Amino acid sequence: MTETPAGSVRLTTAQALVRFLARQFTERDGTRQRLIGATWGIFGHGNVAGIGQALVEHAEDMPFHQGRNEQAMVHAAVGYARHSGRLSTHAVTTSIGPGATNLVTGAALATVNRLPVLLLPGDTFAARPADPVLQQLEVPWAGDVSVNDCLRPVSRYFDRVTRPEALIPAALAAMRVLTDPVETGAVTLALPQDVQAEAYDWPAEFFAERVWTVRRPAPDPRELAAAAEAVRAARRPLIVAGGGVHHSAAEDALRALADATGIPVAATQAGKGSLRFDHPSDVGGIGHTGTAPANELARAADLVIGVGTRYSDFTTASGTLFESLGVRFLNLNVAPFDGHKMAGATLIADARAGLEALARELDGYRVEPAFSLDYRGDKARWEQRVDAAFLSDEPDVRPSQTQVLGALDALVTDDDVLINAAGSLPGDLHKLWRARSPRQYHVEYGYSCMGYEIPAAIGVALADPGRPVWALVGDGTYLMNPTEIVTAVQENVPIKVVVLQNHGYASIGGLSESVGGERFGTAYRFRAPDGAYTEGPLPVDLAANAASLGMRVLRAKTIRDLREALREARGADRPTCVYVETETADTVSGPPPAQAWWDVPVAETATRVSAVRAREEYDRHVTARRRHL
């Protein structure tokens, strides 16, 4: 680094970027924190001599985490960002070629869930001194395309920095998008490897500390008055709390509104935990994986108040849930794109600012006492069904999946965080889990990406050291992406991984059966030495695999074993795995069935009886779908 007489600083492009990132901050409600808390990296040609050297050069400014899989590094950054309330995130750097394309799934997950992450993939030479270079994709019709262009459709902002000076506007634009509560998601700055190493005289102002204010836009007075009028006119209103409640830290405002009005609150997967499970107005999850009380309220609601939700098909039961003839929607959302869904009246505002303003407008309003008594009685009866699924009076038998959750439910406090993303667990958790705090329930269901849980747990633990963080994974998910266990061991991040072994793809197996697919390709098939195939457990020991990667592993064969293993894992100061083979729902009490439909198209013509019957059932449900206009 050289200070020039003109006040500029001579650095390589990569050095300038690292130095710039270390001086970016967010501010909301008077609290300031670093925007880029650390950088994850896997090095190869394309970033080792550029970003890699820069991270060495500026090691005191930028913490570094060594990953094992590029997709997993993005998941870790996303977990960190979500737990940080989208006010802080991590950067991820990769080599060119497969290192860069491995980012695509993680980028899609971040953008679908509106969570900020900065991607810094290496790219081919901008000056093209050698063409093609190792791992370069040659496109006959375009000389400026590389594999990094795969990241364009899954990024909220994309730029290729082909000259050092181009970094200045690109970096500033990247920070703007990362901190925008509406536009945030994956941000990609593709960095040609020769440009990374090229020196330039940077204006000193580029490295001044910048504070990016995360806005809380207030509602328009006319929209607010119309919203309050709509609520006052409703006899059976229902609030649907989405992920925007958490992103805005609007949980207290939501609770205050529910306390004052008595309006019941149902939660999407992203919004669960917006109210504590034992709050009088909380009726649990909504939609295909929701509770019976929430879905019955949804079917009868005359006004649905969506707060920070994007109304996914799981939430709306593929357009069949909100069936009251005169139902109308009022959508409080910071994003106009989501606010206009379901042909709803809009209240475009930050969730917390909007809820607080609406509560003031509704001063004195409260739902009818009989309405409150009805839904609270239904919730009490649902809790009895949860107890039946969670509890067992036979501690020396193999647990079901829901009994594993019951053992955790009996152990955790407000401090614990549960992370999950795919398989049958999200449905069980949404219906049954008793969320005790706003950050406890961390289920990534916007993209529902297998392999998310373990790296995301690392990200959460880095964001909030000392908090017990649980990654709940099925055997299929574990096999997708166990490699970041090594990173947890290397950095002694004491995550707790619970591996539920049911020897197959239970969620998709059940779905396959329901749509006439007869569970084809969802059970494990083992080829014996004689060439014959059998279905059933494979001769694979996932517990031994986790141990070989450095985790301490506790094997639990019974419910009694499980309770002790979970207790021991919770108190552990090193990465610990609890491995348990679960019983199937066919032989023990399982979770309540789905309380609403989900549209997975079924073959319109088939010869097999299972598919014909599945199509008849499909046709019966699909007639209930409606467009809300």
Side-chain angles (χ1 to χ4, degrees):
M1 180 179 72
T2 304
E3 299 284 350
T4 71
S8 60
V9 184
R10 190 162 183 80
L11 298 167
T12 69
T13 303
Q15 292 164 359
L17 177 58
V18 171
R19 190 175 182 187
F20 169 85
L21 293 177
R23 288 162 173 77
Q24 307 304 305
F25 297 85
T26 60
E27 186 277 330
R28 187 176 70 180
D29 304 330
T31 300
R32 189 175 102 155
Q33 57 187 290
R34 272 183 68 148
L35 174 55
I36 306 299
T39 295
W40 289 83
I42 297 175
F43 293 107
H45 84 98
N47 69 338
V48 65
I51 294 291
Q53 190 281 329
L55 289 168
V56 174
E57 190 94 5
H58 296 280
E60 71 282 0
D61 293 330
M62 181 61 67
F64 175 73
H65 302 299
Q66 185 181 34
R68 265 73 197 178
N69 175 283
E70 291 85 359
Q71 179 187 138
M73 293 194 297
V74 186
H75 293 338
V78 167
Y80 179 95
R82 174 169 169 167
H83 196 78
S84 301
R86 304 198 301 181
L87 300 176
S88 183
T89 188
H90 286 165
V92 177
T93 180
T94 72
S95 62
I96 72 170
T101 52
N102 280 351
L103 295 173
V104 173
T105 298
L109 180 147
T111 297
V112 165
N113 287 284
R114 322 286 172 85
L115 293 167
V117 61
L118 178 61
L119 308 180
L120 305 173
D123 211 327
T124 54
F125 287 89
R128 305 181 193 173
D131 188 51
V133 297
L134 178 64
Q135 297 177 329
Q136 178 176 337
L137 173 70
E138 293 185 89
V139 179
W141 46 265
D144 62 346
V145 172
S146 79
V147 296
N148 284 336
D149 288 275
C150 294
L151 288 159
R152 287 182 184 270
V154 293
S155 297
R156 296 297 286 179
Y157 179 81
F158 179 98
D159 201 352
R160 178 174 284 111
V161 182
T162 57
R163 289 291 306 145
E165 58 268 34
L167 177 66
I168 295 175
L172 293 171
M175 300 305 103
R176 173 186 61 79
V177 175
L178 287 172
T179 57
D180 189 315
V182 177
E183 296 297 328
T184 195
V187 169
T188 300
L189 295 182
L191 302 171
Q193 55 184 309
D194 51 344
V195 177
Q196 289 182 47
E198 187 174 345
Y200 182 74
D201 292 332
W202 303 89
E205 294 85 356
F206 184 54
F207 306 112
E209 287 190 358
R210 278 182 172 79
V211 179
W212 301 83
T213 299
V214 179
R215 300 179 297 277
R216 287 195 182 278
D220 177 87
R222 290 167 297 182
E223 284 194 340
L224 179 60
E229 183 179 353
V231 175
R232 289 184 181 278
R235 296 181 58 82
R236 297 184 65 84
L238 172 67
I239 292 173
V240 176
V245 176
H246 293 311
H247 296 332
S248 175
E251 297 90 356
D252 289 346
L254 177 63
R255 184 176 66 250
L257 180 66
D259 287 341
T261 64
I263 299 175
V265 177
T268 68
Q269 283 280 12
K272 191 173 172 73
S274 295
L275 291 184
R276 269 186 64 100
F277 78 96
D278 53 2
H279 188 281
S281 291
D282 178 74
V283 292
I286 191 170
H288 177 63
T289 55
T291 67
N295 287 343
E296 287 306 308
L297 285 166
R299 292 183 178 101
D302 54 1
L303 179 68
V304 178
I305 307 167
V307 183
T309 178
R310 62 192 186 95
Y311 289 111
S312 77
D313 62 341
F314 261 63
T315 298
T316 67
S318 299
T320 64
L321 184 57
F322 304 108
E323 62 184 32
S324 179
L325 185 61
V327 64
R328 291 293 180 262
F329 294 83
L330 169 62
N331 298 327
L332 167 53
N333 206 297
V334 73
F337 176 77
D338 291 314
H340 285 275
K341 289 178 178 176
M342 312 294 281
T346 56
L347 189 58
I348 304 304
D350 166 77
R352 193 176 86 177
L355 287 168
E356 290 172 346
L358 187 59
R360 291 191 294 268
E361 288 286 316
L362 291 173
D363 184 36
Y365 165 82
R366 191 166 182 84
V367 299
E368 295 178 2
F371 180 49
S372 296
L373 286 173
D374 282 348
Y375 77 71
R376 290 173 183 178
D378 289 344
K379 172 67 182 301
R381 286 184 286 275
W382 180 261
E383 287 299 318
Q384 294 173 357
R385 298 183 70 178
V386 174
D387 285 339
F390 274 2
L391 304 178
S392 172
D393 54 7
E394 299 182 71
D396 295 316
V397 300
R398 179 183 292 182
S400 68
Q401 179 167 284
T402 52
Q403 287 166 345
V404 174
L405 299 182
L408 264 176
D409 177 74
L411 175 68
V412 302
T413 70
D414 292 15
D415 292 335
D416 296 66
V417 178
L418 270 68
I419 299 175
N420 185 242
S424 55
L425 274 166
D428 290 354
L429 287 163
H430 197 208
K431 282 197 288 277
L432 305 175
W433 186 255
R434 292 160 168 161
R436 294 159 172 79
S437 62
R439 291 285 181 261
Q440 181 171 89
Y441 188 88
H442 184 136
V443 174
E444 186 285 298
Y445 215 57
Y447 209 50
S448 188
C449 185
M450 296 176 73
Y452 173 80
E453 295 88 348
I454 294 172
I458 296 172
V460 170
L462 292 173
D464 202 349
R467 187 182 290 270
V469 181
W470 302 86
L472 308 183
V473 298
D475 49 295
T477 293
Y478 179 88
L479 287 167
M480 283 277 186
N481 197 9
T483 54
E484 297 315 298
I485 286 175
V486 176
T487 300
V489 170
Q490 173 179 289
E491 302 207 14
N492 198 28
V493 181
I495 61 172
K496 298 90 174 61
V497 177
V498 181
V499 178
L500 295 89
Q501 171 65 277
N502 58 19
H503 301 289
Y505 297 96
S507 174
I508 295 301
L511 179 61
S512 172
E513 186 172 42
S514 71
V515 299
E518 302 179 21
R519 294 184 177 264
F520 176 75
T522 64
Y524 294 150
R525 299 175 70 224
F526 175 61
R527 186 173 185 174
D530 63 3
Y533 281 102
T534 59
E535 289 191 357
L538 298 177
V540 176
D541 189 339
L542 299 185
N545 178 264
S548 74
L549 297 176
M551 287 200 104
R552 182 185 179 206
V553 177
L554 306 172
R555 295 177 184 258
K557 294 184 178 180
T558 66
I559 294 175
R560 190 191 306 276
D561 294 342
L562 175 66
R563 291 168 180 163
E564 181 55 37
L566 293 173
R567 189 177 299 110
E568 191 171 342
R570 189 176 187 274
D573 59 0
R574 56 174 287 195
T576 302
C577 172
V578 175
Y579 174 86
V580 55
E581 292 193 53
T582 58
E583 195 57 89
T584 66
D586 295 330
T587 55
V588 296
S589 177
Q595 304 297 306
W597 186 60
W598 181 45
D599 188 351
V600 177
V602 177
E604 192 167 359
T605 61
T607 58
R608 299 181 70 84
V609 172
S610 60
V612 171
R613 290 177 176 170
R615 181 67 195 198
E616 291 171 352
E617 183 72 4
Y618 178 85
D619 289 338
R620 184 178 69 82
H621 281 290
V622 81
T623 57
R625 194 198 325 269
R626 59 181 292 195
R627 297 280 187 185
H628 296 281
L629 300 172

